[in-house]
Amino acid sequence: MLERKYIFPGVIELNLQAGRSFGVNLYLLDGGQEWLLLDIGEEETLDEVIELIRALDFPLSKCKMIVATHADVDHVQALARARERLRTRTAAHPRAAAAIEAGDAVETYAHISAQNFHVPMPPCKIDIKLQEGDVIRVGKLRLHVWHTPGHTPGQLSFKLGSLLFSGDNIYRDSCVGVIDAHHGSHIPDFIRSLERIRDDDAEFLLPSHGPIFRKDRAIIQRAIDRLQQYQYMADFGTCAVRWPLQEEWEQIILSGQWPPQW
């Protein structure tokens, strides 16, 4: 049996526990008589993840559920196999569930044809559809469900006391989860989700990538300020709200002024 390395009471991060990277952060929440996982990662690491959980003396039969923070392939590719092997239930927001159950290769980022990137995305039944305000009870723990769309329409975050499992909303370097139309990204929603995280009383943020960090309003505000600009930049295509330069050009065209005033 391995010694359990809790980063906070009832919380083990499996990358840190293993001393190696599984690609995405995997959080095991230990409620005493039962436990759950936030995300499961890719198929190639599943066997090692399960063996690690067994070595930590967590009975596999006591896995209450595996929760998908969202539908990105790097977070959920192994979900179908894990559901079968652990004989447990899966949970996600309804918008994420639709992509996962369909094995939607585009929305989950499993296929990016322009970059010749193609990985399998096995469909998986989602047993529990999680909504804003739900509470997941894991033994003595109470996990409060937040719907924090923006990166994806089905992104969830989870509040546990002074901790916020913040998914792909914000990282310690003020970067955020990728913004892409094929992904269902929505910049105004993203800003609202970040404002909610900024204004909450959580002390620590536990993201899906990169290090855990003490919440700093300045880190989040830098991301908000940047996304505010993104809303009006052609760089973000249909994810942008408006492109003021194009509006200006159309006014020049409609004015009939000749020669136009450059």
Side-chain angles (χ1 to χ4, degrees), residues 11-212:
V11 180
I12 295 174
E13 200 290 302
L14 293 179
N15 293 264
L16 289 171
Q17 177 71 57
R20 62 148 293 189
S21 175
F22 293 120
V24 299
N25 295 349
L26 305 175
Y27 297 103
L28 186 153
L29 274 63
D30 176 13
Q33 298 303 310
E34 57 185 359
W35 54 275
L36 68 69
L37 289 173
L38 294 181
D39 287 334
I40 189 60
E42 299 179 351
E43 286 191 322
E44 68 179 9
T45 59
L46 179 62
D47 290 344
E48 187 173 351
V49 168
I50 290 177
E51 286 308 309
L52 175 61
I53 292 169
R54 183 180 282 116
L56 292 170
D57 200 29
F58 287 104
L60 301 187
S61 62
K62 297 298 184 181
C63 179
K64 180 164 187 172
M65 67 179 75
I66 305 170
V67 181
T69 59
H70 57 298
D72 283 3
V73 67
D74 55 333
H75 295 251
V76 299
Q77 188 193 43
L79 195 58
R81 281 185 55 210
R83 178 177 180 269
E84 180 180 350
R85 288 192 56 184
L86 296 176
R87 298 182 181 181
T88 191
R89 297 181 297 171
T90 55
H93 187 270
R95 289 294 302 272
I100 294 169
E101 292 186 327
D104 187 321
V106 174
E107 189 170 339
T108 63
Y109 267 15
H111 290 189
I112 308 174
S113 297
Q115 296 178 330
N116 196 29
F117 178 81
H118 302 281
V119 298
M121 178 56 215
C124 179
K125 177 178 173 57
I126 300 299
D127 303 291
I128 302 166
K129 309 299 196 298
L130 295 172
Q131 302 278 6
E132 167 70 34
D134 287 347
V135 177
I136 303 172
R137 291 171 169 79
V138 191
K140 60 189 177 183
L141 303 179
R142 299 293 181 269
L143 202 61
H144 296 265
V145 177
W146 289 17
H147 182 212
T148 51
H151 167 54
T152 72
Q155 171 81 67
L156 294 174
S157 300
F158 304 91
K159 184 80 180 291
L160 177 66
S162 64
L163 312 178
L164 183 67
F165 299 87
S166 50
D168 279 4
N169 284 296
I170 185 72
Y171 312 127
R172 195 181 69 183
D173 60 359
S174 287
C175 287
V176 300
V178 66
I179 297 170
D180 186 272
H182 296 291
H183 210 44
S185 301
H186 189 269
I187 298 176
D189 281 349
F190 216 149
I191 292 168
R192 285 188 285 271
S193 293
L194 289 170
E195 289 173 338
R196 181 180 185 182
I197 294 170
R198 179 198 63 193
D199 296 339
D200 187 65
D201 63 359
E203 185 176 357
F204 290 94
L205 300 183
L206 292 79
S208 293
H209 298 276
I212 296 158

Side-chain angles (χ1 to χ4, degrees), residues 227-243:
L227 266 64
Q228 292 282 12
Q229 294 179 311
Y230 290 172
Q231 294 184 101
Y232 308 104
M233 295 175 64
D235 306 38
F236 293 90
T238 56
C239 288
V241 174
R242 291 174 38 228
W243 186 19

